[in-house]
Coordinates of all heavy atoms in Angstrom, one line a residue:
I92 N -14.0 7.8 11.4 CA -13.3 8.0 10.1 C -12.9 9.4 9.9 O -12.4 9.8 8.8 CB -14.0 7.4 8.9 CG1 -15.5 7.9 8.9 CG2 -14.0 5.9 8.9 CD1 -16.2 7.5 7.6
R93 N -13.1 10.3 10.8 CA -12.7 11.7 10.6 C -11.2 11.9 10.5 O -10.7 12.9 9.9 CB -13.3 12.6 11.7 CG -14.9 12.7 11.6 CD -15.4 14.0 12.0 NE -16.8 14.1 11.9 CZ -17.5 14.5 10.8 NH1 -16.8 14.8 9.7 NH2 -18.8 14.5 10.7
V95 N -9.0 9.7 9.3 CA -8.3 8.9 8.3 C -7.8 9.7 7.2 O -8.3 10.8 6.9 CB -9.1 7.7 7.8 CG1 -9.6 6.8 8.9 CG2 -10.4 8.2 7.0
D96 N -6.8 9.2 6.4 CA -6.3 9.9 5.3 C -7.1 9.8 4.0 O -7.2 10.6 3.2 CB -4.8 9.4 4.9 CG -3.9 9.7 6.1 OD1 -3.7 10.9 6.5 OD2 -3.3 8.7 6.6
A97 N -7.8 8.6 3.9 CA -8.6 8.3 2.8 C -9.7 7.3 3.2 O -9.5 6.5 4.2 CB -7.8 7.8 1.6
V98 N -10.8 7.2 2.5 CA -11.9 6.3 2.7 C -11.9 5.2 1.7 O -11.8 5.5 0.5 CB -13.2 7.0 2.7 CG1 -14.4 6.0 2.8 CG2 -13.3 8.0 3.9
N127 N -22.7 8.2 0.6 CA -22.2 9.5 0.4 C -23.2 10.6 1.0 O -22.7 11.6 1.6 CB -22.0 9.8 -1.1 CG -20.8 9.1 -1.7 OD1 -20.0 8.6 -0.9 ND2 -20.7 9.1 -3.0
L130 N -22.6 10.7 4.7 CA -21.4 11.4 5.0 C -21.6 12.9 4.9 O -21.1 13.7 5.7 CB -20.2 11.0 4.1 CG -19.9 9.5 4.2 CD1 -18.6 9.2 3.3 CD2 -19.6 9.0 5.6
M131 N -22.3 13.4 3.8 CA -22.6 14.8 3.6 C -23.5 15.4 4.7 O -23.3 16.5 5.1 CB -23.1 15.0 2.2 CG -22.1 14.8 1.1 SD -22.7 15.3 -0.5 CE -23.7 13.8 -1.0
A133 N -23.8 14.3 7.7 CA -22.9 14.4 9.0 C -22.0 15.6 8.9 O -21.8 16.3 9.9 CB -22.1 13.1 9.1
D134 N -21.5 15.9 7.7 CA -20.6 17.1 7.5 C -21.4 18.4 7.7 O -20.9 19.3 8.2 CB -20.0 17.0 6.1 CG -18.8 16.1 6.0 OD1 -18.3 15.6 7.1 OD2 -18.4 15.8 4.9
L135 N -22.6 18.4 7.2 CA -23.5 19.6 7.3 C -23.7 19.9 8.7 O -23.7 21.1 9.1 CB -24.8 19.3 6.6 CG -25.8 20.5 6.4 CD1 -25.1 21.7 5.7 CD2 -27.0 20.1 5.7
V138 N -20.5 21.6 10.0 CA -20.3 22.9 9.4 C -21.3 23.9 10.0 O -20.9 25.0 10.3 CB -20.5 22.8 7.8 CG1 -20.5 24.2 7.2 CG2 -19.3 22.1 7.2
V161 N -15.5 30.5 3.6 CA -15.2 29.1 3.2 C -16.3 28.1 3.8 O -16.8 27.3 3.1 CB -13.8 28.6 3.7 CG1 -13.6 27.1 3.5 CG2 -12.7 29.4 3.0
I165 N -19.0 25.8 1.7 CA -19.1 24.3 1.9 C -20.5 24.0 2.3 O -21.1 23.0 1.8 CB -18.1 23.9 3.0 CG1 -16.7 24.0 2.5 CG2 -18.4 22.4 3.3 CD1 -15.6 23.7 3.5
A168 N -22.7 23.9 -0.8 CA -22.5 22.7 -1.6 C -23.2 21.5 -1.0 O -23.9 20.7 -1.7 CB -21.0 22.4 -1.8
L169 N -23.0 21.3 0.3 CA -23.6 20.2 1.0 C -25.1 20.2 0.9 O -25.8 19.2 0.7 CB -23.2 20.2 2.5 CG -21.7 19.9 2.7 CD1 -21.3 20.1 4.2 CD2 -21.3 18.4 2.3
K173 N -23.9 18.1 -2.9 CA -22.6 18.0 -3.4 C -21.6 17.8 -2.2 O -21.8 18.3 -1.1 CB -22.2 19.2 -4.2 CG -23.0 19.5 -5.4 CD -22.6 20.8 -6.0 CE -23.6 21.2 -7.2 NZ -23.2 22.5 -7.8
S174 N -20.5 17.1 -2.5 CA -19.5 16.8 -1.4 C -18.7 18.1 -1.1 O -18.6 19.0 -1.9 CB -18.6 15.7 -1.9 OG -17.7 16.2 -2.9
A175 N -18.1 18.1 0.1 CA -17.2 19.2 0.5 C -16.0 19.2 -0.4 O -15.5 20.3 -0.6 CB -16.8 19.0 2.0
A176 N -15.7 18.1 -1.0 CA -14.5 18.0 -1.9 C -14.8 18.8 -3.2 O -13.8 19.2 -3.9 CB -14.1 16.6 -2.2
S177 N -16.0 19.0 -3.5 CA -16.4 19.6 -4.8 C -16.2 21.1 -4.8 O -16.2 21.8 -5.8 CB -17.9 19.3 -5.2 OG -18.8 20.0 -4.3
V178 N -16.0 21.7 -3.6 CA -15.9 23.1 -3.4 C -14.5 23.6 -3.8 O -13.5 23.1 -3.3 CB -16.2 23.6 -1.9 CG1 -16.0 25.1 -1.8 CG2 -17.6 23.2 -1.5
E179 N -14.4 24.5 -4.8 CA -13.1 25.0 -5.3 C -12.7 26.1 -4.3 O -13.4 27.1 -4.1 CB -13.2 25.5 -6.7 CG -13.5 24.4 -7.7 CD -13.5 24.9 -9.1 OE1 -13.0 26.0 -9.4 OE2 -14.0 24.1 -10.0
L180 N -11.5 25.9 -3.8 CA -10.9 26.9 -2.9 C -9.8 27.7 -3.5 O -9.0 27.1 -4.3 CB -10.4 26.2 -1.6 CG -11.5 25.4 -0.9 CD1 -11.0 24.6 0.2 CD2 -12.6 26.4 -0.3
S181 N -9.7 29.0 -3.3 CA -8.8 29.8 -4.1 C -7.4 30.0 -3.6 O -6.5 30.4 -4.3 CB -9.4 31.2 -4.2 OG -9.6 31.8 -2.9
S182 N -7.1 29.6 -2.3 CA -5.8 29.8 -1.8 C -5.4 28.6 -0.9 O -6.2 27.8 -0.4 CB -5.7 31.1 -0.9 OG -6.5 30.9 0.3
D183 N -4.0 28.5 -0.7 CA -3.5 27.4 0.1 C -4.0 27.6 1.6 O -4.2 26.6 2.3 CB -2.0 27.5 0.2 CG -1.4 27.1 -1.2 OD1 -2.1 26.5 -2.0 OD2 -0.2 27.4 -1.4
E184 N -4.2 28.8 2.0 CA -4.7 29.1 3.3 C -6.2 28.5 3.5 O -6.5 27.9 4.5 CB -4.7 30.6 3.6 CG -5.1 31.0 5.0 CD -5.1 32.5 5.2 OE1 -4.8 33.2 4.3 OE2 -5.5 32.9 6.3
D185 N -7.0 28.7 2.5 CA -8.4 28.2 2.5 C -8.4 26.7 2.5 O -9.2 26.1 3.2 CB -9.2 28.8 1.3 CG -9.5 30.3 1.4 OD1 -9.3 30.8 2.5 OD2 -9.9 30.9 0.4
I186 N -7.5 26.1 1.7 CA -7.4 24.7 1.6 C -7.0 24.1 2.9 O -7.6 23.1 3.4 CB -6.4 24.3 0.5 CG1 -7.0 24.6 -0.9 CG2 -6.1 22.8 0.6 CD1 -6.0 24.5 -2.0
A187 N -6.0 24.7 3.6 CA -5.5 24.2 4.9 C -6.6 24.3 5.9 O -6.8 23.4 6.7 CB -4.3 25.0 5.3
F188 N -7.4 25.4 5.9 CA -8.5 25.5 6.8 C -9.6 24.5 6.6 O -10.1 23.8 7.5 CB -9.2 26.9 6.7 CG -10.4 27.1 7.5 CD1 -10.4 27.0 8.9 CD2 -11.7 27.2 6.8 CE1 -11.6 27.1 9.6 CE2 -12.8 27.3 7.6 CZ -12.8 27.3 9.0
A189 N -10.0 24.2 5.3 CA -11.0 23.2 5.0 C -10.5 21.8 5.4 O -11.3 21.0 5.9 CB -11.3 23.3 3.5
D190 N -9.2 21.6 5.2 CA -8.6 20.3 5.6 C -8.7 20.1 7.1 O -8.9 19.0 7.6 CB -7.2 20.2 5.2 CG -7.0 20.0 3.7 OD1 -8.1 19.6 3.0 OD2 -5.9 20.1 3.1
S191 N -8.6 21.2 7.9 CA -8.6 21.1 9.3 C -9.9 20.7 9.9 O -10.0 20.3 11.0 CB -8.1 22.4 9.9 OG -9.1 23.4 9.8
L192 N -11.0 20.9 9.1 CA -12.3 20.5 9.5 C -12.6 19.0 9.6 O -13.5 18.6 10.2 CB -13.4 21.2 8.6 CG -13.3 22.7 8.5 CD1 -14.3 23.2 7.4 CD2 -13.7 23.3 9.9
D193 N -11.7 18.3 8.9 CA -11.8 16.8 8.9 C -13.2 16.3 8.4 O -13.8 15.4 8.9 CB -11.5 16.2 10.3 CG -10.1 16.0 10.5 OD1 -9.3 15.9 9.6 OD2 -9.7 16.1 11.7
L194 N -13.7 17.0 7.3 CA -15.0 16.6 6.8 C -14.9 15.3 6.0 O -14.0 15.1 5.3 CB -15.5 17.7 5.9 CG -15.7 19.1 6.6 CD1 -16.1 20.2 5.5 CD2 -16.8 19.0 7.7
L195 N -15.9 14.5 6.3 CA -15.9 13.1 5.7 C -16.0 13.1 4.2 O -15.3 12.4 3.5 CB -17.1 12.3 6.3 CG -17.1 12.2 7.8 CD1 -18.4 11.5 8.3 CD2 -15.9 11.3 8.3
S196 N -16.8 14.0 3.7 CA -17.0 14.1 2.2 C -15.9 14.9 1.5 O -16.0 15.1 0.3 CB -18.4 14.7 1.9 OG -18.5 16.0 2.2
R197 N -14.9 15.3 2.2 CA -13.8 15.9 1.6 C -12.6 15.0 1.5 O -11.6 15.3 0.8 CB -13.4 17.2 2.5 CG -12.3 18.0 1.8 CD -12.1 19.3 2.6 NE -10.8 19.9 2.2 CZ -10.6 20.6 1.0 NH1 -11.6 20.7 0.1 NH2 -9.5 21.1 0.7
K198 N -12.7 13.8 2.1 CA -11.6 12.9 2.0 C -11.5 12.2 0.7 O -12.5 11.9 0.1 CB -11.7 11.9 3.2 CG -11.6 12.5 4.5 CD -11.6 11.5 5.6 CE -11.5 12.2 7.0 NZ -10.3 13.0 7.2
P199 N -10.3 11.8 0.2 CA -10.1 11.0 -1.0 C -10.8 9.7 -0.8 O -10.8 9.1 0.3 CB -8.6 10.9 -1.1 CG -8.0 11.9 -0.3 CD -9.0 12.2 0.8
V200 N -11.4 9.2 -1.9 CA -12.2 7.9 -1.8 C -11.6 6.9 -2.8 O -11.3 7.2 -3.9 CB -13.7 8.2 -2.2 CG1 -14.4 6.8 -2.2 CG2 -14.3 9.1 -1.1
E231 N -16.0 11.5 -10.3 CA -15.6 12.1 -9.0 C -14.1 12.4 -8.9 O -13.7 13.1 -8.0 CB -16.0 11.1 -7.9 CG -17.5 10.9 -7.6 CD -17.7 10.0 -6.5 OE1 -16.8 9.3 -6.0 OE2 -18.9 9.8 -6.1
G232 N -13.4 11.7 -9.7 CA -11.9 11.7 -9.6 C -11.4 10.8 -8.5 O -10.4 11.0 -7.9
S233 N -12.2 9.8 -8.2 CA -11.9 8.8 -7.2 C -11.2 7.6 -7.8 O -11.2 7.4 -9.0 CB -13.1 8.3 -6.4 OG -13.8 9.4 -5.8
L278 N -3.6 7.4 -5.2 CA -4.7 8.3 -4.8 C -4.2 9.5 -3.9 O -4.6 10.6 -4.1 CB -5.8 7.6 -4.1 CG -7.1 8.4 -3.7 CD1 -7.9 8.8 -4.9 CD2 -7.9 7.6 -2.7
L279 N -3.3 9.1 -3.0 CA -2.9 10.1 -2.0 C -1.6 10.8 -2.4 O -1.0 11.7 -1.7 CB -2.7 9.4 -0.6 CG -4.0 8.9 0.0 CD1 -3.6 8.1 1.3 CD2 -4.9 10.1 0.4

Side-chain angles (χ1 to χ4, degrees):
I92 51 174
R93 291 212 178 272
V95 301
D96 298 304
V98 172
N127 286 350
L130 299 185
M131 287 187 280
D134 283 346
L135 186 57
V138 170
V161 171
I165 294 173
L169 292 170
K173 298 176 183 177
S174 69
S177 70
V178 178
E179 293 186 16
L180 301 171
S181 57
S182 69
D183 291 342
E184 186 181 356
D185 289 347
I186 292 171
F188 171 66
D190 287 345
S191 73
L192 299 171
D193 279 333
L194 298 175
L195 302 171
S196 67
R197 186 170 165 76
K198 295 186 182 297
V200 177
E231 293 180 352
S233 300
L278 181 69
L279 295 171

